[in-house]
């Protein structure tokens, strides 16, 4: 038996969450140190811009592939890589803090595979909807659409638990409501950014995926279909 006195005060993070965090942190650390002139020499100052151009997502890329029918892996990869390139250190830190907190909750409630699916698919869905709704207004970078997908998963967990307890399920959406309010205030004060479209789309992708990925979801769906 394990000694309760030796138990860690905080539950360890799921390995997949740690892996994604380390990938984001490693890339941002290299870019920030390069921009500060601490590594890489003079060329390092341009590393971030080079990564944005190579791995960021823009609506014009999707438009070009759709119009030409040329679905190049070189460009399709952007749907998977753009969440790991940030505008700067602060942008990255906020995303990584949310990733650790929400990734832990989602992975522990639904499993690490569900966490990975929500993170990846929400990032892809956020980028595609961003491109479909908006013209080419700039690069989409940063992990927030994927992180907002995790917020969607977390909101689903709360929504289902509140329903089971007979409490108002609207309370499950307090976090996304707060974040959208902060986005609005920030936009009014410092200028709006359309990346919130991708983030909100990521949230809905994560929430929708949870109907399939949450434990017992398939059984509940089969029971409802049988009742009809």
């Amino acid at each position: 038996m394990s000694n309760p006195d030796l138990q860690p005060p905080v539950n360890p993070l799921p390995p997949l969450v740690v892996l994604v965090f380390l990938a984001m942190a490693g890339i941002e650390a290299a870019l920030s140190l390069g921009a500060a002139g601490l590594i890489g020499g003079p060329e390092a100052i341009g590393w971030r811009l080079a990564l944005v151009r190579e791995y960021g997502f823009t609506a014009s890329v999707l438009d070009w592939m759709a119009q030409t029918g040329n679905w190049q892996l070189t460009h399709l990869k952007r749907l998977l890589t753009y969440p790991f390139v940030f505008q700067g250190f602060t942008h990255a830190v906020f995303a990584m803090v949310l990733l650790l907190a929400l990734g832990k909750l989602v992975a522990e409630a639904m499993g690490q595979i569900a966490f990975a699916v929500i993170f990846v698919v929400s990032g892809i869905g956020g980028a595609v909807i961003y491109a479909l709704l908006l013209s080419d207004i700039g690069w989409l970078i940063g992990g927030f659409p994927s992180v907002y997908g995790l917020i969607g998963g977390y909101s689903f967990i709360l929504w289902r638990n509140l329903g089971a307890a007979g409490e108002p399920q609207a309370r499950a959406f307090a976090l996304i409501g707060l974040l959208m309010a902060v986005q609005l205030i920030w936009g009014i004060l410092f200028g709006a950014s359309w990346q919130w479209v991708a983030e909100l789309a990521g949230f809905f992708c994560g929430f929708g995926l949870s109907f399939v990925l949450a434990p017992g979801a398939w059984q509940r769906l089969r029971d409802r279909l049988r009742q009809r």
Side-chain angles (χ1 to χ4, degrees), residues 190-202:
F190 303 103
S193 168
W194 287 102
Q195 293 206 12
W196 67 267
V197 174
E199 295 164 1
L200 190 59

Side-chain angles (χ1 to χ4, degrees), residues 95-117:
M96 289 188 288
V97 168
L98 288 173
L99 167 70
L100 291 176
L102 293 161
K104 175 180 169 63
L105 291 170
V106 170
E108 290 180 345
M110 300 188 193
Q112 294 189 71
I113 298 302
F115 157 78
V117 171

Side-chain angles (χ1 to χ4, degrees), residues 109-171:
M110 300 188 193
Q112 294 189 71
I113 298 302
F115 157 78
V117 171
I118 290 174
F119 183 87
V120 172
V121 176
S122 297
I124 294 172
V128 171
I129 294 172
Y130 171 85
L132 292 175
L133 294 181
L134 302 172
S135 58
D136 188 17
I137 56 174
W139 294 98
L140 176 64
I141 55 174
F144 279 100
S146 295
V147 169
Y148 270 62
L150 298 177
I151 296 174
Y154 168 72
S155 298
F156 177 86
I157 297 168
L158 287 179
W159 178 77
R160 194 171 69 174
N161 291 343
L162 288 169
E167 299 182 22
Q169 290 178 287
R171 287 166 49 191

Side-chain angles (χ1 to χ4, degrees), residues 31 43-56 78 85 139:
L31 295 179
E43 297 82 5
I45 296 176
W47 282 356
R48 190 180 302 275
L49 181 58
L51 283 186
V52 169
R53 289 175 174 172
E54 180 65 24
Y55 297 105
R78 297 173 183 273
V85 183
W139 294 98

Side-chain angles (χ1 to χ4, degrees), residues 30-41:
L31 295 179
S32 296
L33 291 173
L38 298 177
I39 62 172

Side-chain angles (χ1 to χ4, degrees), residues 13 16-17 28 35 48 56 68-69 78-80 83-84 86 93 113 117-118 127 154 174 179 188 192 200 215 221:
L13 289 166
L16 269 181
V17 177
E28 182 54 38
R48 190 180 302 275
T68 62
R78 297 173 183 273
L79 293 168
L80 299 174
F84 295 90
F86 290 89
V93 167
I113 298 302
V117 171
I118 290 174
Y154 168 72
L179 290 173
I188 293 173
L200 190 59
L221 179 60

